[in-house]
Amino acid sequence: MSLKDGCIAEYVWIDGYNGLRSKARMLSEPPSKFSDLPEWNYDGSSTNQAPGVNSEVIIKPQAIYPDPFRGTPHILVMCDTYTPEGEPIPTNTRYECAIAMDTIKEQEPWFGLEQEYFLINPATGKPIGFPEEGEPEPQGPYYCGVSGSKMFGRDIADAHFKACVYAGIKISGTNAEVAPGQWEYQVGPAIGIEQGDMLWMSRYLLERIAEMKGIDVNYDPKPVKGDWNGSGCHSNFSTKAMREPGGYEGAIVPALEKLGKKHAQHIAAYGSGNEERLTGRHETASIEEFKWGVADRGASCRVGSDTAEKGCGYFEDRRPAGNCDPYVVTKMLVQTCCIDP
Ligand code: ADP
Ligand code: MN
Ligand code: MN
Ligand code: MN
């Protein structure tokens, strides 16, 4: 077997800490069809996913992307996780998400997720751009800013954008965020299960790029205490009916009303530590109550003014935390808005 006619496949999966793991294997030839990719396994006792006695976890390939690090013909493979008997393991949230997406596929669910994150200097534990002692200049100049003294990590954010484009991930943009060392990128519109697969793989690419610079990525909803924005993962959502004429009144408003009745269930599924972020300050709504509004960045869910004016489009659920599991968030949106009575 030679590299010349073979291909390196990096298998990526979600561990027992809501993080990502990967390992690489040589394939004798690049897969010409999906089923050419073999299943594989790993030691779940090392990832908080299996007791030591029967620690094998099976990984099944679910999506393939060109590998921007190794180049053509090498690939990244997003996998999900099973017991040797073929049952999805408890952290395999993709499994139920895929079932929900399949149930309503004729409604054509589209998602656009806005991933916010901080770049952290491991030596200080603080965001890059924060001095070792004290705090930087307060929020104001950083959001979408340009400056040699105030902007930190653009090389990482931009390399990540290009890596996602290379990999065929539907990244739609990136911007510097409100706090120093904080950035956002958006993946979408992506259809159904594709959103969760692509957002997870985009996080993997980001962490690999930051790793090359000795920097860590932090998605926590409130990593820096005090008067600094936290990180969210605003989740934009639409169905075919919402995008068609009359969709605002006919489909978006009813979906928002259903979401209002399941606020607690959604909050419970939208990431850990989110109570520190959803305070009613820093462009958030209070975690205690659900409210929606047009163009309201202090609402739980926001309808863009263009959608309200056109009478159709999409809405934004602003509640998910930066550390949410996109398989869970997209499943919950579909479950509440499209499946439950
Ligand atoms: P914001 O104004 O809240 O910062 P962004 O521009 O950062 O919004 O992100 C909006 C996201 O919504 C993008 O990923 C975009 O592709 C996605 N989007 C656009 N139209 C739709 C739609 N009809 N359904 C779902 N998502 C959509
Ligand atoms: Mn945004
Ligand atoms: Mn943002
Ligand atoms: Mn937003």
Side-chain angles (χ1 to χ4, degrees):
M1 186 194 307
S2 76
L3 186 60
K4 200 168 130 277
D5 43 28
C7 139
I8 302 173
E10 187 82 31
Y11 278 48
V12 179
W13 69 92
I14 299 163
D15 68 13
Y17 304 96
N18 198 39
L20 288 159
R21 307 279 174 129
S22 76
K23 60 176 181 170
R25 68 185 294 167
M26 191 68 206
L27 301 178
S28 53
E29 53 191 295
S32 57
K33 55 185 186 315
F34 199 72
S35 55
D36 287 347
L37 279 174
E39 290 180 7
W40 203 7
N41 61 70
Y42 65 91
D43 169 19
S45 69
S46 301
T47 60
N48 194 30
Q49 283 169 308
V53 269
N54 183 8
S55 70
E56 189 161 287
V57 177
I58 309 298
I59 31 181
K60 293 191 187 178
Q62 298 292 0
I64 308 180
Y65 307 94
D67 181 342
F69 302 110
R70 296 191 175 107
T72 312
H74 309 297
I75 54 172
L76 304 172
V77 183
M78 191 69 215
C79 301
D80 68 349
T81 44
Y82 296 83
T83 66
E85 293 72 41
E87 292 294 316
I89 67 169
T91 53
N92 182 350
T93 51
R94 187 187 190 281
Y95 187 79
E96 286 203 347
C97 181
I99 293 171
M101 295 302 167
D102 196 52
T103 308
I104 59 119
K105 61 174 183 293
E106 69 289 350
Q107 295 189 40
E108 299 175 20
W110 292 10
F111 303 95
L113 267 55
E114 306 169 46
Q115 176 71 63
E116 294 179 336
Y117 62 94
F118 276 88
L119 294 171
I120 303 287
N121 175 357
T124 62
K126 294 180 173 187
I128 57 173
F130 273 59
E132 274 185 43
E133 300 292 330
E135 298 220 318
E137 184 184 327
Q139 290 185 167
Y142 310 108
Y143 171 75
C144 297
V146 270
S147 156
S149 62
K150 298 189 179 70
M151 303 311 293
F152 310 95
R154 189 186 302 278
D155 51 348
I156 293 174
D158 197 54
H160 174 251
F161 199 161
K162 287 186 274 190
C164 285
V165 171
Y166 183 98
I169 286 169
K170 293 178 174 174
I171 186 165
S172 49
T174 186
N175 59 270
E177 265 305 334
V178 175
Q182 189 190 28
W183 294 81
E184 169 182 317
Y185 64 90
Q186 306 94 30
V187 173
I191 305 165
I193 192 70
E194 186 182 74
Q195 176 68 66
D197 289 340
M198 287 188 174
L199 196 78
W200 274 112
M201 190 56 85
S202 74
R203 286 179 181 172
Y204 178 79
L205 295 179
L206 179 60
E207 288 170 49
R208 284 281 305 271
I209 288 163
E211 174 192 298
M212 289 192 264
K213 304 220 122 203
I215 298 292
D216 288 334
V217 181
N218 184 307
Y219 308 104
D220 290 343
K222 192 74 179 181
V224 196
K225 311 302 169 205
D227 208 4
W228 302 100
N229 273 35
S231 296
C233 189
H234 295 170
S235 300
N236 300 274
F237 174 52
S238 65
T239 59
K240 191 162 178 276
M242 296 179 192
R243 295 186 295 271
E244 284 176 348
Y248 175 44
E249 292 296 342
I252 293 177
V253 173
L256 292 166
E257 283 167 357
K258 287 183 178 178
L259 285 168
K261 295 196 184 106
K262 299 250 167 82
H263 181 59
Q265 293 94 315
H266 280 254
I267 289 293
Y270 277 3
S272 62
N274 211 7
E275 65 284 349
E276 291 189 61
R277 165 178 163 262
L278 295 180
T279 56
R281 298 181 61 221
H282 300 116
E283 299 168 71
T284 69
S286 161
I287 198 166
E288 304 295 339
E289 52 159 0
F290 178 89
K291 78 177 176 174
W292 72 269
V294 176
D296 182 359
R297 284 171 198 274
S300 323
C301 288
R302 174 177 70 100
V303 177
S305 27
D306 50 338
T307 292
E309 273 161 33
K310 265 175 56 194
C312 60
Y314 63 101
F315 72 89
E316 174 188 47
D317 190 339
R318 299 174 62 80
R319 297 170 294 173
N323 63 359
C324 70
D325 177 345
Y327 291 132
V328 174
V329 171
T330 57
K331 189 206 104 176
M332 288 291 287
L333 283 168
V334 153
Q335 186 74 42
T336 299
C337 300
C338 307
I339 297 177
D340 290 349

